[in-house]
Amino acid sequence: MSDNSPAIEISGLNKWYGPFQALKNIDLTVAQGERLVICGPSGSGKSTLIRCVNSLESHEQGRITVRGTEMKDDRAVAEIRSEVGMVFQQFNLFPHLTILQNLTLGPMKARGLSRAAAEARAMTYLERVRIPDQAHKMPRELSGGQQQRVAIARSLCMDPKIMLFDEPTSALDPEMISEVLDVIVDLAQDGMTMIVVTHEMGFARRAADRMVFMDQGEIIETGTPEDFFTAPKTARCKQFLSQILQH
């Protein structure tokens, strides 16, 4: 793909769960290297939208193109997933494997790396998320914040071109939130294309190139963090910010 082509293009996206329409005519383009933060009230479609990007959720109407590949069949989905990493609310680590084993499993199975190469890569990313000393522990021996940093490192070990974060701090105790967000900010400063669904508005101000506000399955407003926080255009966005910034 060319340097100027978008990382992600979404057009006319509609998604239903039975009679309930979760996404309504979503149009969104994400540039290569752009850091997009999606916010909005619970149930607004934020997580559903990013889960559609790597086909964890199917969509009934519209087009999704990731790094030049349109999501239209199983082969395209497999290609897209190989380039998109995702970090969830829950850490989803294998409890019976050490941290190092959790990180090397994917690169060895899916990328064909030798154990030595996979372990070297894993240690590089454990350094990156600031917990190399935890490599030989079991997940249960780590705090929630450490486990989420392991989950981020595990995604990075697959050498993704795009990272999706689905409320990565929502399952954490308050004192652990900043350690995870600091790692994501570091990634953002490296130029990684990323979409982050979060309620952490301080993080959004620090890391986002662009804000997207969703409500009831629609994109209501987009803008720079400066415009979004200081001069929101819609009454619904103003109401949301007034509520969330009070907490």
Side-chain angles (χ1 to χ4, degrees):
M1 61 181 297
S2 74
D3 291 341
N4 297 324
S5 57
I8 300 169
E9 291 181 279
I10 300 171
S11 60
L13 187 68
N14 289 283
K15 164 73 181 171
W16 284 267
Y17 294 104
F20 173 71
Q21 188 168 1
L23 297 174
K24 303 172 184 175
N25 297 313
I26 299 292
D27 294 312
L28 184 66
T29 299
V30 182
Q32 291 185 62
E34 186 174 18
R35 305 179 301 263
L36 193 76
V37 169
I38 303 178
C39 63
S42 297
S44 58
K46 310 180 299 293
S47 293
T48 301
L49 175 57
I50 67 166
R51 289 171 69 88
C52 284
V53 170
N54 62 353
S55 200
L56 289 176
E57 295 281 359
S58 61
H59 59 281
E60 284 74 32
Q61 293 177 353
R63 295 176 57 191
I64 300 175
T65 302
V66 179
R67 290 179 54 81
T69 299
E70 184 181 347
M71 191 181 294
K72 55 187 177 183
D73 54 34
D74 289 347
R75 183 175 177 179
V77 168
E79 184 176 334
I80 287 167
R81 284 182 178 167
S82 73
E83 299 201 328
V84 179
M86 187 157 184
V87 177
F88 300 88
Q89 298 175 33
Q90 303 298 329
F91 322 125
N92 298 327
L93 302 176
F94 292 112
H96 62 292
L97 301 179
T98 66
I99 299 309
L100 189 61
Q101 289 169 334
N102 266 280
L103 267 61
T104 56
L105 187 64
M108 290 168 62
K109 296 281 190 184
R111 295 281 196 254
L113 266 64
S114 68
R115 181 176 301 278
E119 288 185 353
R121 180 182 290 187
M123 290 308 301
T124 295
Y125 286 117
L126 285 174
E127 291 269 4
R128 184 69 196 279
V129 301
R130 308 167 193 169
I131 48 171
D133 54 320
Q134 308 298 322
H136 299 291
K137 292 185 179 179
M138 305 300 286
R140 65 178 177 275
E141 299 178 84
L142 274 59
S143 70
Q146 289 173 326
Q147 289 188 60
Q148 190 61 296
R149 283 188 278 164
V150 171
I152 293 170
R154 180 178 57 183
S155 284
L156 292 173
C157 281
M158 297 298 287
D159 194 26
K161 303 300 185 289
I162 297 166
M163 286 286 286
L164 308 176
F165 295 89
D166 185 7
E167 300 200 32
T169 60
S170 66
L172 300 178
D173 293 333
E175 65 269 21
M176 297 176 184
I177 289 174
S178 64
E179 67 184 55
V180 172
L181 293 180
D182 286 346
V183 166
I184 300 173
V185 169
D186 282 350
L187 290 177
Q189 291 169 346
D190 272 3
M192 170 74 77
T193 304
M194 56 175 62
I195 303 178
V196 185
V197 171
T198 185
H199 290 294
E200 298 293 335
M201 295 297 100
F203 163 79
R205 283 179 183 263
R206 287 165 64 198
D209 293 316
R210 184 160 52 114
M211 300 292 300
V212 171
F213 174 68
M214 292 185 67
D215 190 30
Q216 296 183 356
E218 298 180 276
I219 292 178
I220 304 297
E221 190 167 330
T222 66
T224 65
E226 177 69 19
D227 289 342
F228 181 80
F229 287 109
T230 61
K233 302 181 189 72
T234 62
R236 183 66 187 92
C237 189
K238 289 176 185 175
Q239 179 190 29
F240 173 79
L241 287 172
S242 69
Q243 292 170 338
I244 200 166
L245 294 177
Q246 287 174 358
H247 297 290

